[in-house]
Amino acid sequence: MWAASGSSAQVFNLSLSVDEGLPPDTLVGDIRAGLPAAQQQEVGGFFLSEDSDDSPLLDDFHVHPDTGIIRTARSLDRERRDHYSFVAATLLGAVVQVEIHVNDVNDHSPRFPRDLLRLDVSELSPPGTAFRLPGAHDPDAGRFSTQGYTLVQPPGLSEDPAGPFFQLRYGIPGSSPSPLSSSPLEPLDLVLLRRLDREAAAAHELQIEAWDGGRPRRTGRLRVELRVLDENDNPPVFEQDEYRAAVREDAQPGAEVCRVRATDRDLGPNGHVRYSIRSRQAPGAGGGGGPSGGAAYFAVDQLSGVVRVQRPLDREAQAWHQLVVEARDGGAEPEVATVRVSIAVLDVNDNRPAIHLLFLTEGGAARVSEGAQPGDYVARVSVSDADGDPEKEEEAAGGPDLSLGDRTISLTLEGAEGAFTLRPGGSPGVFFLCVEGPLDRESRDLYDLRLVATDAGSPPLSTEETLLLRIADLNDQPPLFSQEHYQASVSEAAAPGTAILWVSASDADEAGTGHAKLRYELVHLPERCSPEAQRPRAECAPSFTIDPETGLISTIRSLDREVQEAVELRVVAQDLGEPPLSATCLVSITVNDVNDNEPIFWRQVYNATLVEHTQVGHCFLQVSASGLWVRGEGMERL
């Protein structure tokens, strides 16, 4: 076509448009309209740049080669192809570049990726929580694409007086589509306006409608089924504000007293209730708290809530019990509810005498010093019988026995072996446990005493109280060395810090206390240095030390046997008692000699005169040398 028109061909542009969806054979335009008016009548036909074998243009349009009239060959779809272009050349060499634009019409509705979306939302989600939803896609362009979303009230559902739970939030005001978003309306979020309550509504069904800008506008819907996940936001609730029951004091362990019941509106483990008795009761709750209160006498089945007797009851000791029963659900952070259970103990005639001890020793402990003197108080002992009248108990007269109406309680002491005795306390039913004889912890440090109280009933009932009384230690035993005299030897070549020997002492006082813990100290006796030593006197000084904890004796400096052949030390072992006691032992150490000294001549120069012709063997001079070593072991030789 370019060759036919020549290098000086004129090029003209023609832009046409047609709506999508129009029926086939719809007139689109005339190629001649792109030529100047003077050339429009001279056109004898057109050559097209399109090949009929593979041409989107010729598939969708009919272009008349003689007239240049363009008509649709079929209904167009802008979403499939929105633009066509080709070149037409006249026989005279003019070229027309034709552009055909397919105009969008609102022929598509917004469509969500799925029709149904299921969401699980915790009922503890705070207001303002946003849940991301998939946006709707509309193939149309411009105002015919998706323009907004609406939360549609499901049919047949009345509006909540408290207001809606959700609202929609989409797009960012004033923003343009991001590279990852096909629409400025994204992201699409479902925003929680107020807290959910699974116990009020376990599920919510929402209809989200997407709409475009056509007239009439097209819409698409997404159904959202929102399931409210249960959280542990409801505590158990007891059926009664307080439970009351009665039980005989002779009821056996395991006997049923009453049953408590609590319910929890939560689901699953959050609604599974388990029961327990609060081990530490509130003050005044029928037991004073702690394990000695009502919680020690009763137990509750954790699943059924049945309260049962756990240990024998005594109405005279406690006529009624108040328990605090807890109902705890199975949540990760369990909710707890409590209820008071008041239990009256019905009387049965089965009381034994009671023994009460109050130690009068230092610190109130069951121990007495081995230095205690005969007559010293150890403990106050009182006996009583719950079957009697407490006021008459105080008014009753008697000696060591305690009279309660027509009953008499006797108290005896066993296992004392002459070391302890019971003495009347003046008031009825009161006795004092006193020291009777001398005590020695080193001979016996524990007494197993038994107090036996017996009433005058028929048959008589008795109570026995065991008392383990420890004898506290005094620092009355001095340390004792395993030997009175230790002997050892060490080479004079030993390096400082060389261990020589251990001394060991023991203390019969209580182990682990300051009375039995010992510390060692070394006392240097006057040093006896060798009179033959030619060394300075200052070297005859202390050469040994002792570890105060272990009793290990070691050297602290180099030794010299020529200065000092033997050393005598005195070791003192002292305990940490108050006042401290000590013992001593003697340690003799022999210093062994080594060949560490050279011989020394008595004179540096010897002069002699010898007459000529003196006979062979004639003695004319005698020299002498000495050495500092053990005699007989290092004789000098010339």
Side-chain angles (χ1 to χ4, degrees):
M1 294 178 64
W2 180 260
S5 60
S7 60
S8 60
Q10 292 181 298
V11 179
F12 302 96
N13 294 315
L14 175 62
S15 179
L16 302 174
S17 64
V18 60
D19 291 343
E20 64 173 332
L22 295 178
D25 204 35
T26 299
L27 178 63
V28 177
D30 187 347
I31 299 177
R32 292 176 298 180
L35 297 173
Q39 299 183 22
Q40 290 181 3
Q41 302 300 324
E42 299 175 359
V43 176
F46 295 92
F47 295 98
L48 302 182
S49 61
E50 296 294 312
D51 186 355
S52 60
D53 293 336
D54 184 16
S55 172
L57 173 71
L58 299 181
D59 288 342
D60 295 340
F61 296 92
H62 292 305
V63 181
H64 199 287
D66 296 330
T67 64
I69 299 299
I70 303 174
R71 294 182 180 273
T72 60
R74 58 184 176 184
S75 179
L76 302 178
D77 185 0
R78 187 200 66 84
E79 286 69 39
R80 183 177 63 85
R81 189 177 183 89
D82 62 353
H83 176 265
Y84 300 85
S85 63
F86 66 95
V87 175
T90 66
L91 298 178
L92 300 178
V95 177
V96 180
Q97 293 184 346
V98 182
E99 298 283 342
I100 303 176
H101 297 275
V102 182
N103 297 326
D104 186 38
V105 297
N106 193 21
D107 58 344
H108 291 87
S109 298
R111 184 176 180 83
F112 287 92
R114 64 184 75 173
D115 296 332
L116 174 63
L117 178 65
R118 291 184 173 90
L119 292 178
D120 290 337
V121 180
S122 168
E123 64 177 328
L124 294 184
S125 298
T129 302
F131 306 96
R132 184 59 47 85
L133 302 178
H137 176 66
D138 191 328
D140 295 325
R143 63 186 182 89
F144 296 141
S145 65
T146 303
Q147 299 298 307
Y149 299 92
T150 303
L151 197 59
V152 180
Q153 183 79 6
L157 184 64
S158 59
E159 294 187 2
D160 194 324
F165 282 98
F166 303 94
Q167 74 175 13
L168 293 177
R169 181 179 66 198
Y170 53 87
I172 302 175
S175 66
S176 59
S178 65
L180 300 179
S181 172
S182 61
S183 170
L185 302 181
E186 295 183 4
L188 172 62
D189 291 327
L190 182 66
V191 181
L192 182 65
L193 296 179
R194 56 191 180 96
R195 284 193 179 274
L196 302 172
D197 186 359
R198 188 208 63 81
E199 288 69 36
H204 296 266
E205 183 174 329
L206 308 175
Q207 293 283 349
I208 298 175
E209 184 177 86
W211 45 270
D212 62 20
R215 291 185 179 277
R217 66 184 184 183
R218 290 176 175 265
T219 61
R221 286 198 176 187
L222 170 66
R223 184 161 61 95
V224 179
E225 291 181 356
L226 190 143
R227 183 178 64 172
V228 182
L229 299 180
D230 184 51
E231 300 290 350
N232 194 23
D233 59 342
N234 287 282
V237 178
F238 282 96
E239 293 180 343
Q240 298 179 212
D241 295 334
E242 182 179 1
Y243 290 84
R244 296 180 178 272
V247 61
R248 288 170 53 92
E249 66 173 329
D250 60 353
Q252 297 299 312
E256 181 175 339
V257 179
C258 63
R259 179 174 181 171
V260 299
R261 179 176 172 81
T263 56
D264 193 312
R265 297 174 62 196
D266 292 320
L267 290 178
N270 295 337
H272 293 168
V273 178
R274 293 180 180 269
Y275 304 92
S276 63
I277 295 178
R278 182 175 292 177
S279 59
R280 184 171 296 279
Q281 308 289 336
S292 62
Y297 291 90
F298 300 93
V300 61
D301 187 276
Q302 63 175 350
L303 297 179
S304 66
V306 174
V307 179
R308 300 180 185 275
V309 176
Q310 182 170 255
R311 57 182 288 189
L313 303 173
D314 185 0
R315 180 190 179 278
E316 286 68 33
Q318 193 167 336
W320 60 281
H321 298 266
Q322 283 191 343
L323 312 176
V324 177
V325 176
E326 292 183 345
R328 183 184 301 265
D329 60 30
E333 296 182 2
E335 296 281 348
V336 180
T338 59
V339 70
R340 187 186 300 272
V341 179
S342 299
I343 302 175
V345 181
L346 304 180
D347 186 33
V348 175
N349 187 23
D350 60 348
N351 298 290
R352 297 177 179 272
I355 300 176
H356 307 279
L357 275 172
L358 176 63
F359 289 101
L360 304 177
T361 56
E362 183 178 356
R367 58 192 300 136
V368 59
S369 172
E370 64 178 329
Q373 299 299 315
D376 288 352
Y377 291 122
V378 177
R380 179 183 184 274
V381 185
S382 61
V383 293
S384 62
D385 193 325
D387 288 333
D389 187 345
E391 294 183 359
K392 293 182 178 179
E393 292 177 10
E394 296 295 331
E395 299 173 357
D401 295 337
L402 179 62
S403 297
L404 302 175
D406 60 345
R407 299 192 178 190
T408 301
I409 299 178
S410 63
L411 182 66
T412 59
L413 176 65
E414 300 176 3
E417 301 182 8
F420 302 94
T421 188
L422 282 175
R423 295 181 181 177
S427 300
V430 177
F431 303 87
F432 287 100
L433 178 63
C434 301
V435 177
E436 179 71 8
L439 303 175
D440 183 9
R441 189 204 68 83
E442 286 69 38
S443 299
R444 184 171 182 178
D445 62 352
L446 180 66
Y447 285 86
D448 185 357
L449 306 180
R450 292 177 300 281
L451 296 170
V452 181
T454 306
D455 64 19
S458 182
L461 299 177
S462 62
T463 299
E464 181 176 311
E465 184 81 17
T466 300
L467 170 59
L468 295 176
L469 187 60
R470 296 190 177 275
I471 308 302
D473 186 42
L474 287 179
N475 191 26
D476 57 348
Q477 300 293 323
L480 180 64
F481 279 97
S482 59
Q483 301 178 42
E484 294 183 359
H485 188 189
Y486 292 84
Q487 292 183 341
S489 63
V490 60
S491 171
E492 66 173 328
T498 301
I500 307 301
L501 80 158
W502 274 274
V503 297
S504 175
S506 60
D507 195 310
D509 286 320
E510 186 174 0
T513 66
H515 298 165
K517 187 173 182 180
L518 302 179
R519 294 187 67 86
Y520 298 92
E521 183 180 355
L522 197 60
V523 178
H524 289 80
L525 298 177
E527 302 289 354
R528 295 181 298 173
C529 295
S530 173
E532 299 177 0
Q534 298 179 2
R535 309 291 176 88
R537 189 68 179 175
E539 293 189 11
C540 188
S543 303
F544 302 92
T545 185
I546 188 169
D547 188 300
E549 302 289 339
T550 65
L552 175 64
I553 298 177
S554 57
T555 61
I556 57 175
R557 67 182 184 86
S558 299
L559 305 176
D560 190 348
R561 189 229 177 251
E562 286 70 34
V563 174
Q564 194 172 21
E565 297 182 6
V567 180
E568 285 193 349
L569 308 173
R570 189 172 302 279
V571 178
V572 178
Q574 181 174 284
D575 61 30
L576 303 184
E578 196 61 43
L581 300 179
S582 63
T584 61
C585 71
L586 183 64
V587 179
S588 298
I589 301 176
T590 300
V591 182
N592 295 330
D593 186 47
V594 297
N595 188 18
D596 59 345
N597 290 282
E598 298 176 350
I600 301 174
F601 282 97
W602 290 105
R603 296 173 61 183
Q604 296 294 321
V605 178
Y606 290 85
N607 296 315
T609 302
L610 182 64
V611 179
E612 65 177 335
H613 306 300
T614 302
Q615 295 182 358
V616 176
H618 175 74
C619 180
F620 65 90
L621 178 65
Q622 182 178 4
V623 296
S624 177
S626 64
L628 297 178
W629 52 70
V630 179
R631 297 181 184 276
E633 296 180 359
M635 301 299 293
E636 63 270 23
R637 293 183 179 180
L638 298 180

